[in-house]
Amino acid sequence: MRIVIIGAGGVGNALARIVATRDFAIHVTICDYDIERAKAAVSWLEQRHPDKAGLFSAANVDASHAASVQQVAESAQANIVVNAVEPSFVQGVFQGSFDAGAHYLDMAMSLSSPHPTAPFSETGVKLGDWQFERAG
């Protein structure tokens, strides 16, 4: 399995550390807007798991732009993209994964928003609605 992890913060790092203890991954690309953060995660993993040298690589991504996520996923030939960034980036990561033809795993859902004209009496967009609309 070729995995792309979007986000090299606490969640992404924790996931990568778990993956390093398993044998199902062929390659894992750890991505972040701050490439140095992604490189630091890879460096830590290679020092801690020398037997997994070459399993991990770092890449730069702008999770707010689907095209950036798509490019990284396609370049990595990802089977799955894992979204490990805050929920405000869900739409970019979700759409980029979808456009790349990769499976998508999320740690959150697209955010809710109030009804545009009657926020106190009508339901707006509910948590996850944006994603569920694309489920078909």
Side-chain angles (χ1 to χ4, degrees):
M1 180 181 314
R2 300 180 70 79
I3 304 167
V4 168
I5 299 173
I6 306 291
V11 175
N13 262 305
L15 178 60
R17 290 174 185 196
I18 292 168
V19 171
T21 66
R22 307 296 196 274
D23 292 323
F24 57 82
I26 296 169
H27 189 79
V28 180
T29 305
I30 301 173
C31 307
D32 202 275
Y33 188 76
D34 179 357
I35 186 67
E36 295 306 318
R37 195 165 153 169
K39 287 178 181 178
V42 170
S43 177
W44 187 93
L45 289 161
E46 289 177 343
Q47 289 174 19
R48 185 73 177 227
H49 300 277
D51 59 315
K52 302 285 179 138
L55 177 65
F56 296 93
S57 64
N60 178 259
V61 71
D62 182 347
S64 66
H65 289 93
S68 180
V69 175
Q70 179 182 1
Q71 187 276 326
V72 168
E74 288 176 347
S75 177
Q77 300 175 348
N79 302 102
I80 187 165
V81 174
V82 181
N83 184 353
V85 293
E86 66 175 77
S88 64
F89 295 106
V90 165
Q91 291 176 325
V93 179
F94 181 92
Q95 191 64 52
S97 303
F98 182 81
D99 293 343
H103 293 281
Y104 177 80
L105 178 64
D106 204 339
M107 304 294 174
M109 296 187 84
S110 55
L111 296 173
S112 302
S113 59
H115 190 278
T117 58
F120 301 109
S121 60
E122 298 290 328
T123 303
V125 177
K126 297 180 300 305
L127 184 70
D129 278 354
W130 185 87
Q131 289 168 286
F132 287 129
E133 288 173 359
R134 287 148 180 82

